[in-house]
Amino acid sequence: AFYGWPYSYFGKHVDARVEPPRPDLVARALAPDYALGAHVAALGLTYLKGFSVSADGQAITMISSTTVWASADGGSTWTTRSVSVPGHFADISDDGRVMATTDSNTTNTIHLSLDGGGSWSAITLPGTNASAEDSTKPLAAAVSADGRGIAVATGRLVCISLPPFATEQGSILVSMDGGATWERMTGAGVAAWT
């Protein structure tokens, strides 16, 4: 979604101070759902970390900033699977059973759940350093449906203003045994990331 910055604010309200003007972008700008100013403490708001829907559309799993929610009837009713979700970024298998989260701000760990978020196991990644200011840390994770295959993108986040996020010293770690052993991927596809 594009909200107009820096060419407009709150949708299509043009900021005349910005040169050159971009009426094409202002025309696409959306008004936000909530009017929150800069530097506010928006207490009580949650954000979505991960989301999955089964092939038939009946099983839905969502991970918010604090809770794992599940529905077996296409979203008509919801149950809470977990009220303590570690990490920031989440990936969920299609059936909502397997989840992985990363906590790139504070640790060199990913968290894995094999029971739909009911319990979590911490897995320490090789070649990362939780204490070094300039170390590479997990930025994103992906899991296979059975939880055996895990891929983790690591890096040092150096720019968060524009997607894709810029990183330095990045690599991709892959485990095919649920995180017991890891292999650092190399090759042409990985070179662009690193």
Side-chain angles (χ1 to χ4, degrees):
F2 176 69
Y3 296 98
W5 186 87
Y7 307 103
S8 65
Y9 59 93
F10 218 81
K12 296 175 177 45
H13 297 274
V14 175
D15 187 342
R17 299 171 297 176
V18 178
E19 292 292 333
R22 291 288 307 269
D24 58 320
L25 292 177
V26 171
R28 289 187 4 209
L30 301 172
D33 293 330
Y34 298 99
L36 300 176
H39 310 290
V40 298
L43 302 176
L45 292 180
T46 60
Y47 60 92
L48 195 60
K49 293 181 184 183
F51 185 84
S52 75
V53 180
S54 64
D56 63 4
Q58 291 301 298
I60 304 171
T61 306
M62 295 187 306
I63 302 179
S64 73
S65 55
T66 58
T67 308
V68 176
W69 298 92
S71 175
D73 56 12
S76 295
T77 60
W78 293 89
T79 58
T80 302
R81 288 192 182 164
S82 175
V83 293
S84 178
V85 179
H88 298 292
F89 173 86
D91 184 48
I92 310 171
S93 63
D94 289 342
D95 64 1
R97 189 175 58 85
V98 180
M99 303 172 194
T101 66
T102 63
D103 192 353
S104 61
N105 290 332
T106 59
T107 69
N108 58 340
T109 306
I110 64 166
H111 306 276
L112 185 66
S113 174
L114 299 176
D115 60 2
S119 61
W120 296 89
S121 300
I123 300 173
T124 301
L125 298 172
T128 58
N129 184 342
S131 61
E133 183 66 29
D134 63 348
S135 67
T136 60
K137 297 177 181 168
L139 299 175
V143 294
S144 63
D146 63 2
R148 305 285 300 156
I150 307 169
V152 178
T154 68
R156 181 168 65 103
L157 204 56
V158 295
C159 175
I160 60 171
S161 62
L162 294 172
F165 301 135
T167 63
E168 291 178 348
Q169 305 168 352
S171 65
I172 297 175
L173 300 171
V174 174
S175 174
M176 297 308 291
D177 55 13
T181 61
W182 293 89
E183 180 181 349
R184 190 171 305 277
M185 301 304 296
T186 59
V190 179
W193 174 262
T194 59

